[in-house]
Amino acid sequence: MKLSASVLPIKVGRYSVVLSKDDADEMGVVEGDRLKISKGRSVISGSVQIATGLIARGRIGVYQDVAEELRIEDGSEVEIFPISRPPSVEFIRKKLEGGKFTKEEVYEIIKDIVENSLTEIELTAFVLSNYLVGMDFDEIEWMTRAMIETGETIEFERGIVVDKHSIGGVPGNKVSLIIVPTVASGGLLIPKTASRAITSASGTADTMEVLADVNLSVDEIKEITQRVGGVIAWGGATNIAPADDRIIRVENPLSIDPRPQLLSSVMAKKGAVGARHVAIDIPVGNGAKLGSVEEGRKLAGEFVELGRRLGLNLACAITNGSQPVGRTIGPALEAWEAMKALEERKGSTSFLEKSLGLAGLIFELSGLSPNGYEFAKEIFTSGKSLEKFREIVAAQGGDESVRADSISLGNERFSIESNTEGAVVDVINSRIVRVARLAGAPKDKGAGIYIHKKKGEVVRAGEPLITIYAEKSWKLSNAIEFAIENPPVIVSGMILERYPSYRVV
Amino acid sequence: MKLSASVLPIKVGRYSVVLSKDDADEMGVVEGDRLKISKGRSVISGSVQIATGLIARGRIGVYQDVAEELRIEDGSEVEIFPISRPPSVEFIRKKLEGGKFTKEEVYEIIKDIVENSLTEIELTAFVLSNYLVGMDFDEIEWMTRAMIETGETIEFERGIVVDKHSIGGVPGNKVSLIIVPTVASGGLLIPKTASRAITSASGTADTMEVLADVNLSVDEIKEITQRVGGVIAWGGATNIAPADDRIIRVENPLSIDPRPQLLSSVMAKKGAVGARHVAIDIPVGNGAKLGSVEEGRKLAGEFVELGRRLGLNLACAITNGSQPVGRTIGPALEAWEAMKALEERKGSTSFLEKSLGLAGLIFELSGLSPNGYEFAKEIFTSGKSLEKFREIVAAQGGDESVRADSISLGNERFSIESNTEGAVVDVINSRIVRVARLAGAPKDKGAGIYIHKKKGEVVRAGEPLITIYAEKSWKLSNAIEFAIENPPVIVSGMILERYPSYRVV
């Protein structure tokens, strides 16, 4: 059937067109059915929505995603033809019944995900089948390889390529800003791709963006890594393992992270940049993704097995995830804390020990040093990490002479003080993140939190527990209101949930 | 945040608005986040889509669904406020983890489904959790009651209200056109709501629509039933158990029918019209929803238990679903076959035995006769069923003097003949449906199939196996092409899959 296009200026994240009820009935298609959509010799497959009385007969509403792909304008002639659903849907149904994917089936599904050929319902069914039915190591390996092969990859001509990754879930985790320059100073290549915050207050890419450009292509990532040894880029600007981004869009609204996807998501990114030695950070504890060291060990064992299958030399560090890393949360504040540590060659214990511990693990994996932590600490305290970090910042288009004090933090500030004397018994990750986001992070770079008192530290009545930073006063107010009703820092001796729990000064 | 509306003339089946990337970042919302959307004092909750560079800052794209609900026009001032996801999503997550719903949780989820408060991803997660984790009878009972209570219901002041339902899956199942007038002639009230075809070639509502209006309100259903004893209406025109329609929209693309939803879908519709005695038709066999009598018995046991809990007197008939019921498929052809049987007081064995058997079951359940089948047959052969059916047709705005011969069938016709002598060993339901749909059913009322030879019948070379009816020659061609490549009627002695298997004359 040939129809005249009306472009709908909205991106819907999939290939979808809108037909009148009459035309849909005429073709015998119902909501969600698949169509072959073509203009001239360009063809894609998409799905149909049906409008009641709003799209005229003979017209076809074309969302921006389709319009761009097929270069359709208002009035273009578009031909559609109903097609049956792709074989992937049958494979997903088999998994729902408890079956096992073949290699070819996994590849076909990942290809369809990358090509936007699955509807949101089908993609959700895929993710949930993996959550509820699961995958064995064969299937996870195939999925990881398929994710790598359906995206861009980097091959370095020389040098030892290493990488690190955190499974996430703990706020303030700015460790890459220490690890990358330290590892690069040691002579290794570390092309680190990082994510932006989705539900957190700052992703590593958001933090690095305070100091330099993170929207790098794979060619730029390769060139900079070869020239200065390391890079911290936003993975989303590349086309590395694109299937993963689509899958995450379904996982987030349900707050689920099926194990097969968690594993393949991390490993595909490492595999795509050609990393040989990889350190994985697995934070555990109350308020982290995994509650206990035992759960951490289980996941670590799975990472190691998957690494072995993919030919990666991999080790995991099970880390303390029960409170934020370091004292800052939010892009500029985290960049500031990292710069400050690099400049002063010291810093918050949790932050530095973790950073240098992970850098050390990489040195040990790559055979550069049998005592990696000491090796990393030496580089760090010698000032080489600072020097290398400034090189990296400059290579990414930032200011080579950057200093902590030149980083601009939000000017709207408010400190919440303890109304009692005691010791901090808890810093609640989820509340810290919520307060920082209400204050404007990650969009407002200067917004976030400085934590004055962490677990085990003694506080006197009237001393500040946290300072909230914001760029806009109305956001500061929202953050304060929430923080008072839901204290993120708990001091012993206080009634935990009484309102107001804190004296606000 | 207050924004100026641009109405997007598309119905998307949920409450959704579109923001510019800048405004979304400013509010700290991401794709799929929930918003409170208000204009003046009218408020609904919806979800956000994000446009890149296509919706201007300060503007908000409002789909028709939202625009109608809040009476928004281009330029209306719309206020939005981010809200957290509804508690239902946590309940669904609990089920994904293998938990059991409380009564309150089930009611909350069904309420949210009816109010369009769940995203497609969340609704898919609900349906799949029921498919993979399941529900116990408590949960199914609560879901059924919640479905009834969130929709319209009918209460009859007097009379014995009965009903029948088929779980579907077998083509040509026009039995309601015999059952309803027969049961009504016996003095019972049968307010039958039926569905239209979604993936089949004709739903009972499509078939009845050939003869009368089926778009009746619940008031009309009640009035007609009280006046003439029975009605055959399209359930979709009412607001009876509306949650069910939303759930089916997710089940269909995945071809799944989770047991809890199958049970509650049927029972909610029966409960909502106040039925006291209910017969359930469970077709089993190759090509039906259930493959074996054993599976049919298991489902029957579940229906009976759910009926007991809801206070319904219920019995199931496990019927032969391995080939079509009667000899016709498609709206007008099925209406014709039913009228013909009513007029001649005889007809295809499978069709009449099933119809009168189910009518008889209802007579037995309601205590009207200990030998229901004989009782039903007497009414039918006396001509009372025909008389009553014409009354019902007239009550629904049709022609009281309707005759089979006055029903107009598609004029584009083509017969496929057997190229061999033998006996029919199979009539493949899925191919029959596909051919009828390609020929234009259910949209083209006159399109469909007449089956000359059914299972076990002897055929000579050159005798017709099926005749395809269509209203448009191009649709007839498509149907013929498919039927030749995928023979729906298999004669013994033929090579089953050879192409072309049939000689076409």
Side-chain angles (χ1 to χ4, degrees), chain A residues 217-364:
Chain A
S217 67
V218 293
D219 289 342
E220 290 169 320
I221 291 172
K222 182 176 172 181
E223 187 275 320
I224 295 172
T225 304
Q226 280 182 329
R227 182 152 52 87
V228 303
V231 73
I232 300 175
W234 177 40
T238 70
N239 196 31
I240 290 172
D244 190 47
D245 293 338
R246 314 266 152 88
I247 289 170
I248 287 172
R249 281 187 43 201
V250 169
E251 292 174 351
N252 275 321
L254 299 172
S255 304
I256 60 167
D257 198 355
R259 188 58 57 91
Q261 254 98 27
L262 169 62
L263 290 164
S264 60
S265 164
V266 172
M267 296 300 277
K269 288 170 196 154
K270 306 302 110 178
V273 300
R276 291 279 306 119
H277 309 284
V278 175
I280 305 287
D281 167 25
I282 302 180
V284 301
N286 249 343
K289 278 192 185 171
L290 301 178
S292 69
V293 173
E294 288 64 39
E295 290 174 67
R297 280 193 197 122
K298 183 166 178 296
L299 179 60
E302 292 166 354
F303 267 116
V304 169
E305 168 62 13
L306 186 56
R308 189 189 66 72
R309 285 166 169 260
L310 296 167
L312 300 186
N313 183 26
L314 181 147
C316 297
I318 296 171
T319 59
N320 181 357
S322 66
Q323 65 173 343
V325 176
R327 295 198 178 271
T328 59
I329 289 90
L333 280 151
E334 294 192 40
W336 172 87
E337 187 176 20
M339 276 307 300
K340 197 85 179 165
L342 287 163
E343 287 168 11
E344 299 185 347
R345 306 176 193 184
K346 64 180 167 62
S348 150
T349 325
S350 66
F351 169 40
L352 272 195
E353 269 198 10
K354 182 170 176 179
S355 303
L356 298 178
L358 284 163
L361 198 54
I362 295 170
F363 286 133
E364 290 172 15

Side-chain angles (χ1 to χ4, degrees), chain B residues 230-244:
Chain B
V231 73
I232 300 176
W234 177 40
T238 69
N239 195 33
I240 290 173
D244 190 46

Side-chain angles (χ1 to χ4, degrees), chain A residues 1 8-12 14 18 22 25-33 49-52 54-55 57 63-64 68 84-85 89-90 92-93 95-98 119-122 124-126 128-129 131-133 197-198 249-250 252-256 434 437 443-444 472 474-475, chain B residues 8-12 14 18 22 25-33 49-52 54-55 57 63-64 68 84-85 89-90 92-93 95-98 119-122 124-126 128-129 131-133 197-198 249-250 252-256 434 437 440 443-444 472 474-475:
Chain A
M1 185 177 269
L8 307 168
I10 303 154
K11 285 218 176 182
V12 290
R14 60 182 188 276
V18 188
D22 283 340
D25 285 347
E26 185 64 37
M27 289 191 72
V29 296
V30 300
E31 185 91 19
D33 272 3
Q49 288 184 346
I50 294 169
T52 31
L54 297 155
I55 295 277
R57 271 202 94 143
Y63 286 108
Q64 196 64 20
E68 281 177 14
S84 45
R85 56 192 185 192
V89 179
E90 280 315 306
I92 294 168
R93 293 198 59 225
K95 174 58 77 180
L96 289 174
E97 306 293 343
T119 65
E120 201 156 64
I121 290 172
E122 291 157 357
T124 306
F126 174 66
L128 283 174
S129 74
Y131 188 66
L132 293 173
V133 180
I198 299 176
R249 281 187 43 201
V250 169
N252 275 321
L254 299 172
S255 304
I256 60 167
R434 187 74 194 275
R437 285 184 69 99
K443 151 81 175 160
D444 300 344
K472 293 182 175 147
W474 66 272
K475 292 189 181 179
Chain B
L8 307 168
I10 304 155
K11 285 217 175 181
V12 290
R14 60 181 188 278
V18 187
D22 283 339
D25 285 346
E26 185 63 39
M27 288 191 75
V29 296
V30 299
E31 186 88 21
D33 272 3
Q49 288 183 346
I50 294 170
T52 30
L54 296 155
I55 294 277
R57 272 202 91 144
Y63 286 108
Q64 196 64 21
E68 281 177 13
S84 45
R85 57 193 185 191
V89 179
E90 280 315 306
I92 294 168
R93 293 200 58 225
K95 174 58 78 180
L96 289 174
E97 305 293 342
T119 64
E120 202 157 61
I121 291 172
E122 291 158 356
T124 306
F126 174 66
L128 282 174
S129 74
Y131 187 64
L132 293 172
V133 181
I198 299 176
R249 280 188 42 200
V250 168
N252 276 321
L254 298 172
S255 304
I256 60 169
R434 187 75 193 277
R437 286 184 68 98
K443 151 81 175 163
D444 299 344
K472 292 180 177 149
W474 65 272
K475 292 189 181 181

Side-chain angles (χ1 to χ4, degrees), chain B residues 198-226:
Chain B
I198 299 176
T199 55
S200 78
S202 186
T204 295
D206 299 309
T207 303
M208 185 66 181
E209 198 174 35
V210 173
L211 309 172
D213 183 13
V214 296
N215 298 317
L216 306 178
S217 67
V218 294
D219 287 343
E220 289 168 321
I221 292 171
K222 182 176 172 181
E223 188 275 319
I224 295 172
T225 305
Q226 280 182 328

